[in-house]
Structure formats: structure tokens, C-alpha cells
Amino acid sequence: MKLMGMTITEKILAKHAGRDEVHPGELLNCRVDVVLGNDVTTPVAIEEFEKLQADRVFDRTRVVIVPDHFTPNKDIKSAEQAKGVRDFARKHGIVNYFEIGRMGIEHCLLPQEGLVLPGDLIIGADSHTCTYGALGAFSTGVGSTDMAAAMATGEAWFKVPETIKFVFRGELPPYVGGKDLILRVIGDIGVDGARYMAMEFTGPVISSLSMDNRFTMANMAIEAGGKNGIFAPDEITLDYVRGRNKREYTLYYSDADAQYAEIREYDVTNMEPVVAVPHLPENVRNVSEVAGTSIDQVVIGSCTNGRIEDLEMAAGILRGRRIHPEVRLIILPGTQEIYLEALRKGFIEIFIEAGAAVSTPTCGPCLGGHMGILARGERALATTNRNFVGRMGDPQSEVYLSSPVVAAASAIKGAITPPWEVK
Amino acid sequence: MKLTGKVHKFGSDVDTDAIIPARYLNTSDPAELARHCMEDADPAFPSQVKQGDIIVADKNFGCGSSREHAPIAIKAAGVSCVIARSFARIFYRNSINIGLPILECPQFIDEVEAGDKLEVDLVRGEIKNLSRGKTYLAEPFPGFMQDIIDKGGLINYVREKVR
Ligand code: SF4
């Protein structure tokens, strides 16, 4: 009997549930390949894990713990949280625990280390775990209790999501990249437009998009309420994965007759870089519509745009220039490896000469943790993913979201600026 | 189990940063989280909420981060139940996993005001607006999730497997 066509998301879920076929709406119990936690979510997971009275984690190599939110620790309480996580990692012999100085922002670090691979089913106690969909994996954010249960059993329950397919055609204009594409999508469908659903990104534009741009797009699926964002693996994916992977992986592709809840088509040819204005990522404007909005701080980094290409784009704009005297520019490379590469390529020198502060990898200001908190009434332009009320500091501060190119250009002018105006 | 309480009403897309701002995430102590619950959406909420009160919100409640601190803060603040037009996925999952009752009921949302008194029957999914004399039926949970809730959360549900 011929099976019904399935999407890549359905195939990965089916495989991990030991099934040949699954349909949207079905509840499944699945084997997970990787379970992730950070310094904010793991402490709660440890408490729950302890209630289970399990002697050990299901697999010491497949539990990954990255202290990245409040690290290097910003105060005594966060130091205690980090210590609790470190002690747990030692006690259980967690192989992939990443200490300060060897770490990075989790969603930049795991792909870099080859810990997440095409065809994997990954859960993480962090909403941006959806980032790894860029590799052709099913990857989604869960809470700490799910993390605890999966650490003990190696399993988690899922409802098979429906899929929305996004097809991108045309010619990408200069200065327009993955961040602009995903913000445009969120602007169109809203912050709950893909609630509970899989978002599959395809089309000729995607086929020639770099891995770093794909990570940026998959990263923000959650900002449309998505369960996961996913890309079919191709040569670009395999170039990235080869040499990093320490285990085998499987490539899955959507069937031609797979069922979609909706198919949305985009022609990118006339797109402009975009900016999301406060206080939701769906408030998307063309950069020229908000040009001239004054800013106090610019942040370039985060799991959305803290990778080497992001830094390269920012360096391209900042080279030989100085930022506006009334702006603070904070740059956070995503991982130590990215930091080192940026150093070797001369980007760090460009940033410091431009007047930027460059930090060791951390989430820092992205979630209003530390390293650049906003005072009441201040406004930031950031390459991060959320501009909720109070996200980067005082509830009466504001965050605008953009790509690194727009962020760098705006840092030079002291106001939101289209990149072509910095010449 | 029947819950009774007064309504605190919120709009659409209440995110997890509004429910519990990240500046308080350097602790996971429920009592301390409760002291800051909803503070960026309504600064008066932590001082005004009473044991048993009910949060009512429009669409996409709990969007944003995966922090379980959000439903933990709400539960520890004494809130007995959250009723919304719809919930963000991770918040929904976390609430079930930690045993915070949540219900989706669009029609009820259209007709409720802040301060109304409610009686909620979780088993039947029945919401009575005592102030307005109207009764509504919420979407029932799929059986599998009802199992998790009946066992008192995911940890109890999984415990049998681990042993
Ligand atoms: S960089 Fe920001 S969004 Fe990404 S994991 Fe850290 S806090 Fe979360």
C-alpha cells in the first residue's frame, strides 16, 4: 500500500515514534536525540529530575547543558544557579557541559559543535531551540519539566503539527537577508500566525541562502508561535555538518504530495530591509519608514544574529568609521570560536576602533539580563528576536529589531538608518 | 474540583516577559517569583491578587520564552486557573506539566469583565460567570493530557516509567 505523502516534520516525528506514517493532530511518544538546558531553565529541571529519583540521565552524551543567560555570573543568585547546574553536570558526568570560556550562546554553540544534526529530534528548555531546524532537524522548545522527564527517559510527547509552507522566489536585493525574510513573515501572519504549527521554508531564494541566514530564520519561528521551523537539507547544509558531526545522521525531505495547511509565496525582488517596532515582533516596517528614529544603544549579537556572517556584515559597514557619539554599541559574538574567527579576520579591531564594546559570548542584554540594560525612556536597536515590554530593561524602555547591517548603519548615524545611506 | 474566584482581565499576546520579567530569573523560588507575577503587564497585580483568583486573557497568552517560571509564578501567586481565547504552545504544555489548570473558551472571553466572580468545574470544563448568570463549556483536554493532569503533572506520570 502506498503511504500518504508526508512533510519533513512528519517524517522525522514518525521515525522517532517508530511509525511509518503520522498525521497532524496525532499524539506521539518519541525518542529524542538531544535534550538541552541552560542556566535559567536547568535549575528548575534539576528539582523535577530529583523528584523522579532516577539514578542517572538516559545518555550522558545526549544531555547538553550551556550556562549562557546570566554568565559570566552577574550576581550572587545567578552564581548559585550556575553552581547548581555545574554540580549536577559533574555528578551525572554530562559530557557536553560547556563552562565559561569554552562556551557560547546555546543555539550558536550546538550546531557549531556538531551536537545537533540533520534528521535529529531535539528538545530544549529554551524557546529558541527551534533554531536547529535550519539543519533539517525537528527541534522545538519545551519547559523545564519536559527537560527533566526527557533527561530521565530519553523520550517526550508531541502532537504532530500541521505545516505552513513558505516559498521564497526572486532575487534578494542588497542588504536584505534572512532576518528581513523572517521578520516579513512574522509581520504578515502575526505573533500567533503559526501557533502550534511547523513552518517549512523553501524556494530558490532559500536554496542559495547561507547556513547562518537559515539559522536566523529558523530561530524566529517561535516569534510567529511556530512549533518548529525547518529547511530541507542540501549541499550547503552538508558542507556545514561535515567535519563537525561525531555520529551518523539521516536526511529527510518532504514528499511532493505532502499535505500543507497553507502555502504562502513571497517574491523578494523588491524587498527592503525591515525593522520591528515595539512591542511585538509582528510590528514590521520597511527601514525607510522608521528612518530617523533616534537610538541610545545598539546591540549586535544573540542566538539570532551572533554568528560569523552577522559580524562580517556589521564589520563591512563599520570598517574605517566611528559610531555616533551619543550611541553605545555592544557586540556579542555568539561563541568563543566565532569570537576567535572574528578576531583573526580583523572584525574585532574594526569594532573597537569604531567605538564599540565587545563582550565575551553571553545572552546578556537580549533578555535584559546584564551587559547593557536600558534605563527608563531609552531606546535600543538590536539584532535580537524579541521586543516585548521590558525585554531589555526598564518596562518603559523600547527595543527595535533589525539585521546586523541596519544595526551597524544606525549606530553610525545615531538613528535608524537604511544601510545604503552610509557610504 | 470546583474553583471560585474573581477575574483579572488581560489583553492579547501577554508574553512570558510580562508574566515574569527576566530580571527575576536569577531565582526559581516560587514565592519570590509570585511577588513579581504579571508586574510588567499590571504593576498592581501582585498586591491585589487573592487566593483562588482567575486570570482571563485574550489570544496567545504566554507567548515568548519557554520559562516554566511563568506558570510557576502564576500558580504561586494563588491563581487557581487561567482562561484564555488561546494559549501559546510552550506555555500550554508547561502549565499541564506543572499542574496549573488552563482552559480555552472564546465565547466566554467575549462576555466577561474584570471583577466578575466565576465558578469553574475543571472535570466538566464548565465555566459559570456568577456575576452575569451565564454558563459556558470550554474545550475538553485530549485524553492523554487529562491523564497527565489526573496524575498531578508530568513528573508523576513519568515516574512509573523510570522505576
Ligand atoms: S540570545 Fe536571547 S533569545 Fe537567544 S537564548 Fe539567549 S536570551 Fe534567549
Side-chain angles (χ1 to χ4, degrees):
Chain A
M1 190 186 79
K2 164 146 177 19
L3 301 176
M4 263 181 58
M6 287 197 284
T7 65
I8 174 170
T9 295
E10 288 157 5
K11 285 186 185 176
I12 297 173
L13 284 169
K15 178 74 186 173
H16 287 78
R19 304 259 297 263
D20 293 329
E21 191 174 341
V22 298
H23 302 284
E26 273 183 273
L27 286 161
L28 306 175
N29 202 45
C30 294
R31 180 174 60 70
V32 300
D33 293 300
V34 175
V35 184
L36 164 72
N38 59 46
D39 54 320
V40 167
T41 55
T42 309
V44 180
I46 293 170
E47 281 169 36
E48 299 304 311
F49 184 83
E50 257 125 54
K51 287 184 200 159
L52 281 172
Q53 294 169 321
D55 316 328
R56 60 178 75 87
V57 299
F58 81 103
D59 185 334
R60 296 191 302 125
T61 64
R62 288 170 185 265
V63 173
V64 182
I65 301 180
V66 188
D68 56 356
H69 278 55
F70 295 144
T71 50
N73 296 126
K74 68 155 184 154
D75 57 15
I76 295 170
K77 280 188 190 166
S78 64
E80 277 163 2
Q81 281 189 315
K83 181 169 186 300
V85 168
R86 183 179 300 120
D87 290 347
F88 177 85
R90 284 191 190 145
K91 176 175 164 196
H92 289 279
I94 303 296
V95 177
N96 294 302
Y97 166 77
F98 292 89
E99 193 52 90
I100 295 158
R102 281 141 274 167
M103 48 75 94
I105 299 170
E106 52 199 297
H107 310 307
C108 300
L109 189 67
L110 270 66
Q112 171 194 299
E113 296 299 311
L115 295 172
V116 287
L117 297 170
D120 276 0
L121 193 158
I122 305 138
I123 61 169
D126 188 278
S127 59
H128 293 102
T129 303
C130 53
T131 309
Y132 317 132
L135 294 164
F138 175 88
S139 191
T140 192
V142 296
S144 298
T145 299
D146 275 310
M147 179 190 175
M151 281 199 295
T153 62
E155 293 175 358
W157 63 270
F158 297 96
K159 188 162 158 186
V160 181
E162 293 186 290
T163 298
I164 307 180
K165 178 153 103 172
F166 299 85
V167 188
F168 296 89
R169 297 182 205 284
E171 193 82 32
L172 259 191
Y175 305 121
V176 176
K179 184 64 167 284
D180 304 292
L181 299 183
I182 190 65
L183 280 174
R184 173 55 62 209
V185 165
I186 297 163
D188 287 344
I189 67 174
V191 291
D192 68 344
R195 208 170 55 91
Y196 278 89
M197 295 169 120
M199 302 170 78
E200 189 174 316
F201 302 105
T202 66
V205 175
I206 300 296
S207 306
S208 50
L209 207 59
S210 70
M211 270 324 290
D212 283 3
N213 275 287
R214 294 181 193 182
F215 283 126
T216 302
M217 291 183 71
N219 174 271
M220 288 191 75
I222 179 71
E223 260 55 72
K227 181 171 200 151
N228 65 313
I230 199 159
F231 291 72
D234 59 12
E235 266 314 304
I236 293 175
T237 324
L238 295 178
D239 276 350
Y240 182 89
V241 167
R242 280 189 208 115
R244 300 178 194 267
N245 67 304
K246 293 163 200 91
R247 55 185 165 85
E248 294 304 303
Y249 52 87
T250 315
L251 307 179
Y252 295 92
Y253 301 94
S254 293
D255 293 322
D257 59 345
Q259 300 289 308
Y260 293 94
E262 196 185 343
I263 298 175
R264 300 182 71 99
E265 307 251 357
Y266 286 82
D267 186 338
V268 303
T269 309
N270 295 312
M271 261 187 80
E272 232 189 64
V274 293
V275 172
V277 307
H279 288 288
L280 283 177
E282 70 182 24
N283 299 333
V284 173
R285 312 274 186 270
N286 281 335
V287 62
S288 47
E289 287 177 76
V290 289
T293 309
S294 67
I295 44 178
D296 304 290
Q297 177 168 297
V298 173
V299 175
I300 299 177
S302 86
C303 59
T304 316
N305 286 115
R307 297 185 183 80
I308 195 67
E309 272 185 39
D310 300 310
L311 300 183
E312 184 171 4
M313 280 191 272
I317 301 270
L318 290 167
R319 189 185 312 271
R321 296 199 172 87
R322 289 196 58 85
I323 61 169
H324 191 275
E326 285 169 19
V327 167
R328 313 176 300 260
L329 172 59
I330 299 168
I331 300 182
L332 306 105
T335 66
Q336 290 289 73
E337 185 180 298
I338 294 167
Y339 198 169
L340 200 55
E341 192 176 346
L343 192 72
R344 289 184 177 137
K345 289 185 163 159
F347 304 157
I348 303 294
E349 209 172 312
I350 293 171
F351 298 151
I352 292 175
E353 280 177 355
V358 183
S359 159
T360 196
T362 177
C363 294
C366 172
L367 82 161
H370 58 144
M371 283 299 300
I373 304 304
L374 301 175
R376 174 191 295 235
E378 286 194 316
R379 186 180 292 137
L381 177 64
T383 67
T384 55
N385 44 43
R386 288 186 177 142
N387 54 353
F388 299 152
V389 173
R391 175 76 179 175
M392 204 172 273
D394 190 275
Q396 285 174 46
S397 60
E398 291 185 336
V399 180
Y400 286 63
L401 306 174
S402 79
S403 70
V405 198
V406 172
S410 305
I412 292 169
K413 297 286 187 184
I416 295 178
T417 303
W420 53 84
E421 287 184 9
V422 181
K423 272 278 165 242
Chain B
M1 187 177 53
K2 278 196 181 150
L3 312 166
T4 48
K6 215 181 69 176
V7 168
H8 297 259
K9 203 174 170 192
F10 295 89
S12 293
D13 306 315
V14 173
D15 60 78
T16 48
D17 282 271
I19 298 172
I20 183 73
R23 57 185 179 276
Y24 305 119
L25 295 185
N26 55 3
T27 178
S28 58
D29 173 27
E32 198 172 334
L33 295 173
R35 278 198 285 283
H36 303 289
C37 180
M38 306 301 285
E39 122 181 343
D40 284 2
D42 173 7
F45 183 84
S47 60
Q48 287 178 352
V49 64
K50 300 239 162 29
Q51 194 63 37
D53 279 0
I54 292 169
I55 288 179
V56 174
D58 212 296
K59 73 171 179 69
N60 203 27
F61 185 82
C63 63
S65 97
S66 67
R67 62 188 69 155
E68 214 156 280
H69 312 67
I72 291 173
I74 290 175
K75 200 176 170 196
V79 171
S80 62
C81 164
V82 184
I83 310 172
R85 191 181 303 278
S86 61
F87 291 92
R89 184 189 77 85
I90 305 177
F91 184 90
Y92 185 89
R93 187 176 178 111
N94 286 349
S95 299
I96 289 170
N97 284 347
I98 69 154
L100 170 70
I102 53 172
L103 295 171
E104 288 185 348
C105 190
Q107 203 210 335
F108 160 77
I109 304 294
D110 291 333
E111 299 173 353
V112 66
E113 292 300 334
D116 284 0
K117 271 207 87 169
L118 307 183
E119 184 181 281
V120 179
D121 182 332
L122 283 180
V123 178
R124 298 164 61 188
E126 195 180 83
I127 306 168
K128 268 195 196 144
N129 189 330
L130 302 174
S131 306
R132 283 159 213 281
K134 287 192 87 169
T135 301
Y136 308 83
L137 267 186
E139 302 283 329
F141 285 118
F144 169 74
M145 289 180 205
Q146 191 63 53
D147 273 2
I148 295 180
I149 291 172
D150 290 347
K151 293 216 162 69
L154 184 70
I155 291 300
N156 289 340
Y157 181 82
V158 168
R159 188 173 284 151
E160 291 159 21
K161 285 196 204 173
V162 176
R163 290 273 166 80

